[in-house]
Amino acid sequence: MSRARILAAGDEFVRTDLLTRALDAELERTARSRHRVSVRTLDLGWPTRPWGKVGEVVEAAGNEDTMIAALDGVDAAVTHLAPFTRRVFERAPDLRLVVVSRGGPVNVNLTAATRAGVVVCYAPGRNANAAAEFTVGLMLSTCRNIAAGHAELGSRTWPGHYFRYESAGFELRDATVGLVGYGAIGQLVAKLLAAFGARVLAYDPMAPAEAFGAEAERVEDLNDLLAASRVVSLHARLTEDNQHLIGARELARMPAGSVLVNTARGGLVDYDALCDALDRGHLAAAGIDVFPAEPLPADSRLFSTPRLVMAPHIAGCSREVAERAAAICAGEVRRWLDGEPPAHCANPEVLSGPGGSAGPAGPNRR
């Protein structure tokens, strides 16, 4: 019987108790009878304590010294935001597995992990349903004047002008909605929109042909999608090549009175150009959950731009997301303990090295 020491480093969203309960449930069903498992805990305090850059990694909570102390003698770690930097890997010689409960392990130095022979896993799709539902919520809020009407009622005025034809909102039924990016979230949005009776177009040069089914029509050119869509919703990953994918020219191609929704990444949009388009009335509204700087600076132009519905980067935030993320992490730990291949590995080259995917008793243990 092998022995495994696990660190559960939670925060105020993917809580430490969610991680430990998920580990208990997963290991009780399978691995606990074959492995002696002990779990150490660490609370990182996000979002009360903000995240940021730690060492060379980003969107991390905590600090290197705290992590080094917590990882003493630890074989595997599960976390949402803990920083796994080069220095942390160098000072944690027993560590063999890191599982991050996010769509990508941005808080892990993958090069350093690979050099140290540490398998890094992550949790794609954990928030896809939450983000898809939120996206449709922003569409309804903007297209039907829900947020604008609420704001006016909050000032104790009765906004009867929304019954003027030119001020009335429009329905998603029979509207053409263009999705920029057609991964897991985009595909779920398309399914939800199909239930509304919308016509859905999708642009994603990286998506395989089989991803496009009855819910969405594939469009080969972004400009064609923009020109044809009354609502445009962004679901692409941010890369060096698509910064400001939607700028002044792209917004001008959208029909007058159309709506832009962004729940993907702030860097996809030139927000000054978006404010210009809203100020002059070319766009009817916009719904934004992500920004180039978070939190927004107090003097941001976005606060004074009309017909702009904003949320503080919460599209992927639900209780179910936190619970699902913890369960995905626990599943990866169980597979590692049993010597099975991981479901989602960010550095698969480690698996083909000495010891492969063996758990704590395997030959890759230092």
Side-chain angles (χ1 to χ4, degrees):
M1 179 179 289
S2 64
R3 174 180 174 82
R5 294 153 297 187
I6 301 171
L7 173 68
D11 49 56
E12 294 172 5
F13 177 47
V14 183
R15 296 187 333 197
T16 304
D17 66 314
L18 294 179
L19 292 171
T20 56
R21 287 206 301 266
L23 286 166
D24 285 343
E26 183 74 29
L27 301 183
E28 195 65 42
R29 286 194 295 267
T30 56
R32 198 174 289 279
S33 62
R34 297 185 293 276
H35 309 282
R36 292 176 58 201
V37 178
S38 61
V39 179
R40 180 184 301 173
T41 61
L42 175 67
D43 291 310
L44 297 171
W46 179 84
T48 297
R49 292 195 290 270
W51 71 10
K53 187 175 182 182
V54 179
E56 71 278 8
V57 301
V58 298
E59 295 184 9
N63 61 71
E64 292 175 304
D65 290 336
T66 299
M67 287 305 301
I68 289 167
L71 288 166
D72 182 31
V74 164
D75 304 290
V78 293
T79 190
H80 181 213
L81 295 171
F84 283 88
T85 64
R86 175 191 54 77
R87 180 167 170 255
V88 168
F89 283 115
E90 289 175 350
R91 300 284 296 278
D94 294 303
L95 190 63
R96 307 274 16 104
L97 173 73
V98 172
V99 188
V100 176
S101 63
R102 308 176 69 182
V106 297
N107 47 313
V108 178
N109 181 330
L110 276 179
T111 300
T114 302
R115 187 181 301 118
V118 178
V119 176
V120 178
C121 298
Y122 59 106
R126 83 224 182 280
N127 65 356
N129 187 74
E133 288 185 357
F134 196 92
T135 297
V136 175
L138 277 180
M139 290 181 188
L140 292 170
S141 185
T142 50
C143 296
R144 298 299 308 277
N145 293 320
I146 295 171
H150 170 80
E152 291 195 50
L153 280 173
S155 64
R156 292 172 171 75
T157 60
W158 186 261
H161 63 89
Y162 288 116
F163 264 97
R164 296 186 182 125
Y165 177 84
E166 63 273 13
S167 300
F170 62 88
E171 301 174 15
L172 290 177
R173 181 177 178 177
D174 296 327
T176 298
V177 180
L179 307 181
V180 180
Y182 202 61
I185 297 173
Q187 292 172 38
L188 283 172
V189 170
K191 290 179 181 179
L192 293 174
L193 291 172
F196 280 87
R199 177 195 178 206
V200 181
L201 309 178
Y203 167 78
D204 190 336
M206 304 303 294
E210 56 267 24
F212 298 85
E215 290 88 6
E217 307 168 34
R218 185 169 200 164
V219 177
E220 300 293 340
D221 188 273
L222 175 61
N223 292 328
D224 292 341
L225 179 141
L226 295 172
S229 300
R230 197 167 192 186
V231 180
V232 173
S233 185
L234 306 185
H235 303 283
R237 284 192 175 277
L238 181 64
T239 69
E240 293 181 359
D241 297 326
N242 64 9
Q243 287 274 350
H244 288 184
L245 179 69
I246 305 299
R249 286 178 296 180
E250 290 74 23
L251 293 167
R253 290 189 173 100
M254 293 173 61
S258 55
V259 168
L260 178 74
V261 172
N262 186 13
T263 57
R265 284 291 182 264
L268 292 171
V269 177
D270 179 342
Y271 280 122
D272 277 332
L274 175 64
C275 291
D276 290 341
L278 289 165
D279 281 340
R280 65 175 185 268
H282 176 66
L283 294 186
I288 304 298
D289 183 55
V290 288
F291 306 90
E294 298 179 3
L296 271 175
D299 60 351
S300 172
R301 181 182 174 188
L302 293 169
F303 287 121
S304 59
T305 298
R307 300 179 304 283
L308 180 58
V309 179
M310 296 190 292
H313 202 154
I314 56 174
C317 173
S318 72
R319 294 184 180 185
E320 290 81 2
V321 168
E323 294 161 2
R324 192 177 301 122
I328 291 171
C329 288
E332 294 288 24
V333 171
R334 198 274 305 161
R335 281 184 283 274
W336 173 75
L337 285 169
D338 286 345
E340 298 177 11
H344 306 288
C345 182
N347 56 345
E349 57 270 36
V350 175
L351 301 176
S352 59
S357 61
N364 65 340
R365 181 164 174 80
R366 287 181 285 186

